[in-house]
Amino acid sequence: MSHDQDTDELKTIRERIAANPRPAAIWAAVLGVLLLLEIGRIGAGIVKLGGVVRLILGGLAAIPHWVHGNIQPSAGLIAAEIGFVITALLVLSVATILLRATIVTGPLAERFGFHYDRFDSPYVTEERLDRGLLLAVLTAVTFVVTMTPAAVAIDLVVGAFTSFFEWVASLGAVTSPETIPNQGYRSPDGSGWEGTFMGLSPAWAWALRVAVVYVYAFVTFAWLWKGYTIFREHYREADWTPRDDSINRFRNHYWGIFGLIVVFMFVVMALWAPALGPVGPQENIYSPYGHEFQYLNSESGELETVSHGTANIDSRSQGSDPVSPMSYDNYDRWSPFGTTANGKNLFTYLVFGARTSLVIGITAIGLATGIALGLSLLTAYYKGLVDLVTVIVSDTVIAVPVFLAVLLLSVVFQESNHPIASYYNGGLLLALIFAGLYWPGLWRSIRGPSLQVAEQEWVDAAKSYGQTPMMTMRKHMAPYIFSYVMIYASLLLGGVIIVTAALSFLGLGINPPTPEWGRIISDGRSYVSTESWHIATIPGILIVLVVTGFNALGDGIRDAMDPESESGEGDVTTTGGGA
């Protein structure tokens, strides 16, 4: 680095940027331009994220009411009220622990003038006082929101923010189908196409939009990586960290690079599904009879209007005379992967099926990783009974075959019409089941490194300086274990995708009309040996490619972070850590 190391180590990241603002300012300005190009899509994403947050909060708020409703018929009103209060406090306590571990990590009580040394009791520590204060704040906020007229004002504020971001979503994006439309009709005079981008044919207009999407995604990803290199060169405290060597090793790991490319293309396919589909999801999947379009009738030479549902009936691929890949149907709709047995555009179905698989995979592995990481820190720090109980529970779960367990639980919940089975047409249920079944394997995989880290001298030093267990685990243990979690989580993502597809193939996974790759393979398996081979073959190839890509990426990350992993001689102290 260009400045004095000893002086720089005393500065915060904000002070280091203030001392040399030019690189950060240029990077932030370019990133702002890139985000403005997709401002409409970002606004729509924020609206959806707000809906997910509201759904989660509503689910948590419903737990005490559910307990109240189940206790009252058998034990009476007083017992139900007591159960309601206890359950609410338990939910708030769990929320307090999660907030302390992730967001509200600094000293909280001191900011309000409370000092634990004022209490003449060995049971009052700084961490317990912070948790108690945070719990009190959450309880007060919950009471105000649910029991006072302030809830009306909060709803008005939330509604105003929602309306604002909906307006932002209406501004459009450079990759949207409205910016580069590909749905149009032939001109009656034969001069070209009407309604498409610059009069191009639907095929070329769609190909241009796909190219714009992937170029934009690649440039954005490259610029985010540029931001990390700027941080490393200008603002990082250390001149070198073990992460630098890991990155250099990954650059030379061609199998891992292949996996990164495949995963990148899959993630872009899922995130930009509305832009990549030749036909919109509402027109093609969810409400085909509610949307109409114009086409040129080749026999009469006149423009006619027809619904997508009616056009789909005449565009079905059911053996003979199908709408094959890279062709138009009878209504001049471009079908790069052909049509399904129901006449729907197969490419649109597959890109939204990729979004379904990604949402389920990220949710399931994210929850399983959180559980495994938390338990690995607890068992490595406390050992003894905590570790023994976790071993017994994990062994019990691992003993159950994953596919049979998922099959059984999904059928039970769906046949009983449980509310969880209704969210995302069974997608949320599958994600929760995967999380409950995969965390033991993840925990087993990182248990050894966690125990190694817990025995290191820096952990003993943190304990001797009086740091709380939560602070010690978060700052001095988790960074070294997280690299191992990344390895095994990336390997499991492919497994989640293929098991989800297998369940949908059997008719027990994601329910229609939500698109899923396994169900379209099931619909097209009877046409594999006919001219409609593409219905099942193309999704099958994609599943194999994506799962292979995730496995290759996991192998690359493992070899980059732990070059001696194959020989079993890796040292956790040389593979963890970070900037």
Side-chain angles (χ1 to χ4, degrees), residues 37-314:
L37 292 175
E38 286 289 281
I39 188 65
R41 198 174 304 280
I42 293 172
I46 293 175
V47 172
K48 292 181 179 179
L49 180 62
V52 172
V53 172
R54 179 171 290 187
L55 174 65
I56 294 174
L57 294 178
L60 293 176
I63 295 175
H65 293 282
W66 178 80
V67 172
H68 185 281
N70 282 273
I71 293 178
Q72 184 175 357
S74 58
L77 180 60
I78 296 178
E81 294 291 341
I82 295 174
F84 177 89
V85 173
I86 294 175
T87 305
L89 288 175
L90 288 174
V91 172
L92 291 173
S93 298
V94 173
T96 300
I97 295 173
L98 293 177
L99 288 175
R100 284 294 296 167
T102 55
I103 301 175
V104 189
T105 57
L108 188 63
E110 291 184 1
R111 298 179 184 178
F112 292 89
F114 297 100
H115 298 278
Y116 72 98
D117 51 3
R118 293 181 180 178
F119 300 90
D120 188 15
S121 174
Y123 299 104
V124 179
T125 63
E126 183 179 5
E127 180 63 25
R128 290 176 180 174
L129 189 59
D130 287 340
R131 289 185 187 178
L133 184 58
L134 182 58
L135 177 60
V137 172
L138 289 179
T139 303
V141 171
T142 303
F143 178 81
V144 170
V145 170
T146 58
M147 301 295 182
T148 68
V152 179
I154 293 175
D155 285 338
L156 291 176
V157 173
V158 172
F161 274 102
T162 302
S163 299
F164 171 75
F165 284 112
E166 287 176 348
W167 172 78
V168 172
S170 67
L171 296 178
V174 69
T175 60
S176 68
E178 290 76 18
T179 305
I180 309 177
N182 74 291
Q183 296 188 55
Y185 54 87
R186 298 180 189 272
S187 301
D189 58 4
S191 60
W193 293 85
E194 300 287 342
T196 61
F197 181 72
M198 298 180 64
L200 297 172
S201 67
W204 281 108
W206 171 81
L208 176 62
R209 191 168 72 238
V210 171
V212 169
V213 167
Y214 274 96
V215 168
Y216 175 85
F218 175 77
V219 170
T220 303
F221 177 79
W223 194 248
L224 291 175
W225 178 254
K226 179 65 176 178
Y228 172 73
T229 61
I230 291 174
F231 163 76
R232 185 174 62 184
E233 294 173 5
H234 298 279
Y235 306 114
R236 192 172 65 181
E237 290 181 346
D239 290 328
W240 173 88
T241 68
R243 185 179 298 164
D244 297 338
D245 287 346
S246 298
I247 292 172
N248 292 332
R249 285 190 292 266
F250 186 82
R251 285 174 174 171
N252 297 319
H253 198 290
Y254 298 112
W255 180 237
I257 294 295
F258 165 77
L260 178 63
I261 293 173
V262 172
V263 171
F264 174 78
M265 296 186 69
F266 170 72
V267 172
V268 172
M269 178 186 292
L271 294 180
W272 274 271
L276 293 175
V279 186
Q282 295 298 326
E283 299 95 320
N284 186 64
I285 300 172
Y286 299 107
S287 181
Y289 288 96
H291 296 81
E292 297 180 338
F293 67 99
Q294 286 185 314
Y295 75 102
L296 180 66
N297 190 316
S298 57
E299 297 180 356
S300 64
E302 300 289 335
L303 287 177
E304 297 184 4
T305 301
V306 65
S307 69
H308 282 275
T310 302
N312 288 346
I313 293 177
D314 296 334

Side-chain angles (χ1 to χ4, degrees), residues 494-571:
V496 171
I497 292 173
I498 199 167
V499 174
T500 302
L503 286 170
S504 297
F505 179 85
L506 296 175
L508 300 171
I510 306 299
N511 299 319
T514 300
E516 211 290 316
W517 289 359
R519 188 166 66 250
I520 197 63
I521 293 177
S522 177
D523 293 342
R525 58 181 172 174
S526 58
Y527 304 110
V528 171
S529 59
T530 68
E531 296 179 21
S532 301
W533 56 270
H534 59 276
I535 301 176
T537 304
I538 295 178
I541 294 173
L542 287 178
I543 290 176
V544 173
L545 187 62
V546 170
V547 173
T548 303
F550 275 109
N551 289 338
L553 179 61
D555 290 342
I557 295 174
R558 179 196 61 202
D559 295 342
M561 290 185 171
D562 189 359
E564 298 179 352
S565 57
E566 294 185 5
S567 62
E569 299 175 356
D571 186 355

